[in-house]
Every structure is written in structure tokens, then in C-alpha cells.
Amino acid sequence: MQLYSRFLRPVLFRLGSGDAEVAHHRTIDALRLVGAAPGASTLRRLFAEDAPRTVFGLRFPNPVGLAAGMDKNGVALPGWAALGFGHVEVGTVTWHAQPGNPRPRLYRLPASQALINRMGFNNDGARALAARLRTAPVLPMPLGISIGKSKITPVENAVADYRASLVELYPYGDYFAVNVSSPNTPGLRGLQDRGLLDELLAELTGEATRLAYRGVPKPILVKIAPDLDDAAIGEVIEVCATRSVAGIIATNTTLSRDGLAPADVATGAEQGGLSGRPLARRALEVVSFVHRESAGTLPVIGVGGIGAPEDAVRLMDAGASLVQVYTGFIYAGPGLVRGISRAVRATGAAPGDR
């Protein structure tokens, strides 16, 4: 991690005159080339660390996943595999292709090891992702697909919008994350309300059962916002239990600006969701609450504030079965993935296979 932070990260952070989105796209392009190279499988043997576990019926080679948002269109999947991830979640993808919000829309807050984004679900659309995954190589780890509502779709038509994406992408994902918690699509977070969420999940879990025919439906997970209070999270848990949802991803980005370093306060005024180190405490609280309130029956993927192996261990000790990284990966580099797996294996963190 020191090699990355001393040499590679400063180069990446200077690309595009400091435009974080330029560095993002250059990283994806580089990983796409890495994944296509003949030695990609050898590289995985260097980076990967075995710490296997089974969660919601899927076998993960280690507990560390790449969070949605990094590779929205699934263009660099073998590259992420080469870096040793235990799973990758692509998207968030919407039924309709959309450009997202105007740039600039991604900001670094280095003193806080954080990011603010208001990307707005920029992606090529569910049909384009399905076409790409149709010819993608077999991955050595599970693939998750995060689905969200298209911006042009009214909230009252959201169920049909989500369902169309699920049907199109169902053959290619190992699990599906229902994103109802991004702060950057108008009206989206309202889908976390009990009535709307129940309607949405009833349709999606029912559709997954129909698509599975007589087999076992692929897992449906729900990604929630850290800004919900305990009562609202409790309602989400109840709906998930009623609709046989396989797990919860906790958490998405936050609208709060608590915990920012003084040097980042000015940039922190930008609109969008905050991720990274300032989210660590809240993510830990939400993971612990979901694990406790569900009596450990609802697997949790912990996301938020993971910048070092010990952060992931704390989330797993609090009840997370798996973790995902995004912002921490940007600041700490690929060594973070192996470091977390080693720490988890050494400490025996996490409540075990689910």
C-alpha cells in the first residue's frame, strides 16, 4: 500500500488537472487492458488471499468486494479479478441509458480520505450491460449487479423500470442489489418507505422466482442509506423479511458532512453523496443495528469508511458477512484487498457462513 500511496496515487490525482473523474476513467481503461492480458490469472495469484465463505447461497473466495459505482458498465471485470477481489458489483445500471449529471460531479476530499459524488447513475443501460456480459469470460468470483430507477421514469412507474432491468440482466448476475438509496436521483430514496419498498420487492422477488423456473431464485439484496433513522431501518428489515430478501447492503453514501477535516469543508459544500472515512462510524452503527434487529438472520454486506484492514474487521465483528470497498480502494490502493482478507482470516472476524 505504501508503494501505491507514495508513487501511483499522486500521479493519478494529477490527471486531468485534478479532475477525479478523469482518473476514474483512466483506471478503468488500464484495468480493462490488464484483464485482457495473458498473465491476468497469474496476477490474481499474487494479489488474491483465500478466506472463503458462503453467504446467501453463494461461495465467495474472500470477503472483500468492489462496491457498485466503480465499474458501472462492467468493462473491466477480469481486471478486478486480477486484483484479488472476492466479488464485484457492477452498476448501478438503469433500464434506460443515461448520461448522468453535468460535470464536474466527482470531488476528492484528501484530508478526510473521502469523496463526494453526484454522478446521477450515468451508465449505458441494462441492455448494453447484458450484451457485454453475454460474451464476458467466466469470473473466479460472484458477480453482483446493482439496479436503479431511470431518471426519466416517474416514481409511480419505478416498479416496471426495475423489473425490466432485472429480467434483462437475470441470466448474468449471481445476485442483484436493489439501489433505492442514492441521493443523486430525484425521488429515489422515497422508495425506502415501507409501502413503496414492499411493492417493489414483492415484484422483484416474485420475478426472480419466475425467472428461476423450478430452480433456486438468485439472491435479491437491498442497499440502504445511512441517513435513515433506526425506526426507518427497522421497517426496511421487516419488509425484507416479509419478501424473502436475501440480504442488506449497508450503506450507500450520505448527505451528512459530519467528520470532515477542516481543509475539506469548502469542497464539502458540493452537492452529492459523501463516501469514505467520515462514514465509518455510521456504517458501523447501521451494520450492527441490522444484524441485531434481524437476530443475525439477514446477511449484511458492510460498506462505508473502510480505509484499512481494521475498519473491515470492525464491520465484520459488528455482523457483516462481507464487505465492499470503493473510496478506500482509491486512497489505499489494491493492497487493501489482500490486507483485509488476511486480517479477517487472522482474527476470525464475521459471524460465519450464512
Side-chain angles (χ1 to χ4, degrees):
M1 286 195 279
Q2 288 185 351
L3 182 66
Y4 171 85
S5 60
R6 286 185 180 183
F7 300 105
L8 184 55
R9 188 178 69 192
V11 172
L12 288 171
F13 280 22
R14 286 195 295 267
L15 291 174
S17 300
D19 185 337
E21 192 168 350
V22 171
H24 178 100
H25 290 305
R26 295 283 179 85
T27 300
I28 296 295
D29 290 343
L31 281 169
R32 180 176 54 80
L33 294 175
V34 167
S41 59
T42 300
L43 188 62
R44 180 173 175 82
R45 286 196 290 270
L46 294 175
F47 277 102
E49 190 77 18
D50 289 336
R53 62 201 53 233
T54 299
V55 185
F56 39 82
L58 297 176
R59 188 70 169 168
F60 295 81
N62 67 60
V64 191
L66 180 72
M70 181 68 80
D71 191 357
K72 293 176 183 286
N73 295 308
V75 300
L77 296 178
W80 301 115
L83 293 184
F85 280 97
H87 70 279
V88 172
E89 191 171 303
V90 298
T92 294
V93 63
T94 54
W95 177 239
H96 298 284
Q98 53 190 44
N101 293 321
R103 297 176 66 171
R105 52 194 181 183
L106 181 63
Y107 303 88
R108 299 188 192 97
L109 293 80
S112 306
Q113 295 185 42
L115 297 173
I116 289 175
N117 94 83
R118 52 171 180 265
M119 304 299 286
F121 286 171
N122 56 308
N123 73 102
D124 295 339
R127 282 166 288 199
L129 178 59
R132 184 171 293 116
L133 295 178
R134 195 173 298 126
T135 58
V138 176
L139 298 173
M141 74 289 197
L143 174 68
I145 301 177
S146 175
I147 57 176
K149 185 187 77 68
S150 305
K151 186 175 182 180
I152 64 171
T153 300
V155 171
E156 56 267 27
N157 297 332
V159 172
D161 193 81
Y162 278 91
R163 183 179 61 240
S165 292
L166 178 65
V167 171
E168 184 73 23
L169 291 163
Y170 191 83
Y172 312 109
D174 294 300
Y175 74 84
F176 294 87
V178 181
N179 187 344
V180 288
S181 51
S182 169
N184 301 315
T185 296
L188 186 79
R189 285 191 166 192
L191 293 173
Q192 295 172 112
D193 294 345
R194 181 194 287 268
L196 293 175
L197 184 63
D198 184 66
E199 180 186 1
L200 175 62
L201 294 180
E203 182 62 34
L204 294 181
T205 55
E207 190 64 49
T209 299
R210 290 189 288 273
L211 291 167
Y213 299 106
R214 296 182 181 180
V216 177
K218 293 180 179 180
I220 303 290
L221 285 73
V222 176
K223 189 168 187 175
I224 63 173
D227 305 319
L228 296 176
D229 61 22
D230 287 353
I233 296 174
E235 290 186 352
V236 171
I237 293 170
E238 290 176 8
V239 172
C240 288
T242 299
R243 297 303 174 188
S244 300
V245 166
I248 284 181
I249 302 175
T251 63
N252 212 318
T253 58
T254 180
L255 292 172
S256 169
R257 296 297 185 262
D258 293 343
L260 290 184
D264 292 325
V265 170
T267 305
E270 292 288 348
Q271 291 184 338
L274 177 73
S275 61
R277 180 66 69 184
L279 192 52
R281 184 173 69 178
R282 182 55 183 159
L284 185 65
E285 290 172 351
V286 176
V287 167
S288 179
F289 182 84
V290 173
H291 181 66
R292 183 175 65 253
E293 290 299 303
S294 68
T297 61
L298 193 62
V300 183
I301 300 180
V303 196
I306 301 175
E310 55 267 28
D311 300 320
V313 170
R314 277 192 287 270
L315 282 176
M316 299 188 83
D317 282 342
S321 298
L322 303 167
V323 294
Q324 291 178 346
V325 296
Y326 181 146
T327 304
F329 176 82
I330 291 171
Y331 282 99
L336 179 63
V337 179
R338 188 171 196 175
I340 292 172
S341 293
R342 284 181 168 176
V344 169
R345 191 173 62 183
T347 60
D353 292 352
R354 303 276 172 93

